[in-house]
Amino acid sequence: MTAGLNYVHFALSNDNSIEPRLGLVVGLPNAQKLGFAYGKHSKHENLPVYLVENELPDGSIYMPNKSLELSRAHHFVASYEKLIGKELFFKAEAYYQYIDNLPVATNPDKYWSPIFGGVDPNDTLKNIGKGRNYGLEFTLQKSFSNNYYFLVTSSLFDSKYKPADGKWYNTRYNVNYINNFVGGKEIKWGDNKMVGLNAKLIWSGGKRQTPIDLDASKEEGETVLENNEPFSLQNKDYLRLDLGFRLHFYKKKSEHVLSLDIQNVTNRLNTWTQTYDSENESIIDYPMAGLIPIVSYRIEF
C-alpha cells in the first residue's frame, strides 16, 4: 500500500487544493496481481484563459476569468495483471474519473470549455461545469526475445461533459475506442548484417466535431455550425498502418543503417474534419496526409 497527500497552491487566483492519493496492490498465486487506486487531482487552465481582458462601457478594463478556481478530478482505478510464462504480460484496467469545478461559459447557450483548447474572449467563465470519463483498457505485451516482440493495446471508453445548461454532451475526445498493434522482428543476414522489420497499426473511432448546418451555410456562403449540438457528429474511423525496414551493416568501429519507413502505407485518407464547400454547396471531408515514405542513412561510431 502506498498513501500520500499532495498540496497545490495557484497564486493567480489564490486557490488551494489538498489531494489524498492511495494505491493498493494485492499479490495472488501464479504471478497474478490485483490493484486498486484512488487519487484527487487538480489542474489550472492555460494562462491566457485567466488573462482575458474586456472593456466596460465606461472604458475601464476588467478580467472576468482571473478568479477561476482549479479544476478538480477524482480518479478511481482497478487493475488485474498476469505474467504468462517468462515473456508474455497481460493487464486489464477499469477506471472512472469525475471532474468537478470545470470552467465553462456562464451563458447556457454556449457550450465551449477551455479543456478543448482555446477560449472565446467574449465568454465569462465560471467553475460550474462537470465532466466524467470511464472505460476499460487491455494490454498484451511480449518482451523482445527470440528476435521478435509485439505489443497490443485496446481502450474502450466514454467521455462526457456538462456545461451551464445542465445537460451531458460528448467531449471532442470521445472517439469511444482506440486499438494499437506494434511488432517487430530482427533477422540475421550473414556475419555482419541484420534486417529489421517493424509494423504499427492504429484503429480508432473517428474524431468528433460539431455538425454543420447545411441550409444555413448555403445562405451565409460559409460554414455555419449547429452549436446547440456540440460534438454530436463522429467522423469515419481512423485507420493507419506504418511499416519500417532497416538494414544494419556492422563494421569494426561503426554501424551503418539504411532504413525505409512508410507511414500510412495503404494511403488511406482519414478525415481530419468536415467543412462546407461553397462552390458545390455541399459538406466535404477535409483529409489528413496520405502515404509518406521516409528514407534515411545513418552511421553510428
Side-chain angles (χ1 to χ4, degrees):
M1 182 175 70
T2 303
L5 199 63
N6 190 66
Y7 170 71
V8 178
H9 173 70
F10 186 48
L12 184 61
S13 61
N14 197 30
D15 193 17
N16 302 277
S17 179
I18 298 176
E19 303 166 354
R21 313 276 174 85
L22 179 66
L24 177 66
V25 177
V26 180
L28 300 176
N30 301 318
Q32 301 178 95
K33 291 181 181 178
L34 285 178
F36 305 92
Y38 164 77
K40 182 181 178 183
H41 301 260
S42 63
K43 175 183 177 296
H44 66 72
E45 307 305 318
N46 292 325
L47 292 181
V49 173
Y50 301 91
L51 303 179
V52 168
E53 294 183 347
N54 288 337
E55 185 176 350
L56 294 172
D58 62 3
S60 60
I61 301 296
Y62 81 108
M63 302 170 70
N65 302 330
K66 189 175 180 180
S67 61
L68 279 176
E69 299 174 355
L70 298 164
S71 297
R72 293 173 172 82
H74 299 271
H75 295 236
F76 303 88
V77 181
S79 64
Y80 168 78
E81 298 179 14
K82 167 69 175 175
L83 186 62
I84 306 171
K86 295 182 180 180
E87 301 170 351
L88 203 58
F89 171 77
F90 172 77
K91 182 176 181 179
E93 186 173 270
Y95 64 89
Y96 179 81
Q97 178 192 44
Y98 180 75
I99 303 172
D100 200 4
N101 261 27
L102 182 68
V104 294
T106 56
N107 186 342
D109 293 327
K110 294 192 174 183
Y111 305 93
W112 193 256
S113 171
I115 62 169
F116 305 133
V119 62
D120 187 340
N122 298 314
D123 286 346
T124 297
L125 303 176
K126 196 172 181 180
N127 299 92
I128 56 176
K130 309 290 182 184
R132 68 184 183 206
N133 301 291
Y134 59 88
L136 296 170
E137 293 189 352
F138 302 95
T139 301
L140 182 64
Q141 178 179 359
K142 182 195 177 297
S143 56
F144 185 80
S145 62
N146 299 320
N147 297 319
Y148 78 99
Y149 73 96
F150 66 81
L151 172 67
V152 181
T153 65
S154 182
S155 181
L156 311 173
F157 59 92
D158 188 66
S159 179
K160 297 283 199 303
Y161 80 109
K162 183 193 291 186
D165 71 349
K167 299 178 181 178
W168 289 100
Y169 297 93
N170 290 301
T171 72
R172 73 182 308 173
Y173 315 110
N174 195 23
V175 300
N176 298 126
Y177 53 88
I178 301 175
N179 303 290
N180 295 279
F181 170 82
V182 179
K185 182 174 178 59
E186 292 183 351
I187 303 171
K188 289 186 178 180
W189 182 18
D191 295 331
N192 64 340
K193 293 183 288 294
M194 183 186 70
V195 177
L197 306 174
N198 295 279
K200 180 180 180 180
L201 177 66
I202 305 172
W203 173 34
S204 74
K207 293 172 66 70
R208 285 194 175 270
Q209 68 174 83
T210 300
I212 297 172
D213 188 328
L214 182 57
D215 293 334
S217 298
K218 289 179 180 179
E219 291 182 9
E220 298 293 331
E222 61 182 9
T223 301
V224 177
L225 300 178
E226 297 182 15
N227 288 314
N228 60 335
E229 299 182 23
F231 309 116
S232 60
L233 174 66
Q234 187 170 18
N235 293 315
K236 293 182 293 186
D237 281 9
Y238 179 92
L239 186 64
R240 174 176 144 182
L241 174 63
D242 299 342
L243 295 179
F245 306 89
R246 284 172 174 74
L247 185 57
H248 299 254
F249 298 91
Y250 300 100
K251 305 294 184 180
K252 278 190 176 182
K253 297 183 178 180
S254 65
E255 178 185 357
H256 298 243
V257 183
L258 177 64
S259 65
L260 170 63
D261 292 294
I262 307 176
Q263 298 179 11
N264 195 8
V265 68
T266 63
N267 198 34
R268 178 182 171 91
L269 298 180
N270 292 293
T271 301
W272 174 257
T273 187
Q274 286 190 340
T275 186
Y276 173 69
D277 182 358
S278 58
E279 291 186 5
N280 298 315
E281 295 189 330
S282 62
I283 298 173
I284 60 172
D285 287 349
Y286 187 85
M288 302 182 193
L291 183 147
I292 303 176
I294 301 172
V295 179
S296 68
Y297 181 75
R298 186 175 74 247
I299 302 176
E300 297 182 0
F301 297 97

